[in-house]
Amino acid sequence: MTEPKLSKEEEEILEEFEAGEFKSVLTPGRIKMLQAAAEETFKKDKRINIRISSHDLESLQRRALEEGIPYQTLVSSVLHKYVSGGLQDLMANKASQRTQKSRS
């Protein structure tokens, strides 16, 4: 695999990191809070059943195979990103923008 091309600034940061010049500013309390949040994010305590088309399931399984993860994990990840705001519905955003433009 080829090495990524780094900008001068990125090279400086990498050199400083490798030289141990970066120090964590996280307090023990903040670390504990972040660990708890991470555990909550990945806690799987509920089960759902859904019906989807064979085509969509095959596409999900193919994408999961490309990522090297189980397809259920991929589905869970996509749903989590959507509900936490990390994934947006582009078609809904376009429709909303068209509605706002027509009102102007």
Side-chain angles (χ1 to χ4, degrees), residues 90-104:
L90 296 178
M91 296 306 287
N93 290 344
K94 287 180 182 179
S96 175
Q97 289 172 354
R98 281 194 299 265
T99 302
Q100 288 175 356
K101 285 182 182 178
S102 66
R103 291 181 182 169
S104 299

Side-chain angles (χ1 to χ4, degrees), residues 29-66:
R30 177 78 171 146
I31 291 172
K32 197 175 209 175
M33 191 274 302
L34 291 172
Q35 287 172 335
E39 287 173 10
E40 275 299 308
T41 298
F42 292 107
K43 184 168 75 170
K44 296 177 181 176
D45 59 350
K46 297 290 182 189
R47 177 190 278 294
I48 66 167
N49 293 310
I50 61 172
R51 293 191 176 274
I52 62 173
S53 71
S54 297
H55 178 265
D56 287 345
L57 178 58
E58 290 167 9
S59 295
L60 281 166
Q61 290 172 327
R62 188 171 32 259
R63 292 289 295 268
L65 186 61
E66 291 169 2

Side-chain angles (χ1 to χ4, degrees), residues 12-25:
E12 289 174 4
I13 292 170
L14 181 59
E15 288 172 11
E16 291 169 0
F17 174 77
E18 290 174 343
E21 295 181 23
F22 286 100
K23 302 282 186 257
S24 176
V25 295

Side-chain angles (χ1 to χ4, degrees), residues 64-92:
L65 186 61
E66 291 169 2
E67 296 293 323
I69 59 174
Y71 77 92
Q72 297 98 330
T73 302
L74 176 64
V75 171
S76 179
S77 174
V78 169
L79 289 172
H80 174 75
K81 288 176 185 175
Y82 182 76
V83 299
S84 63
L87 190 65
Q88 297 179 0
D89 184 346
L90 296 178
M91 296 306 287

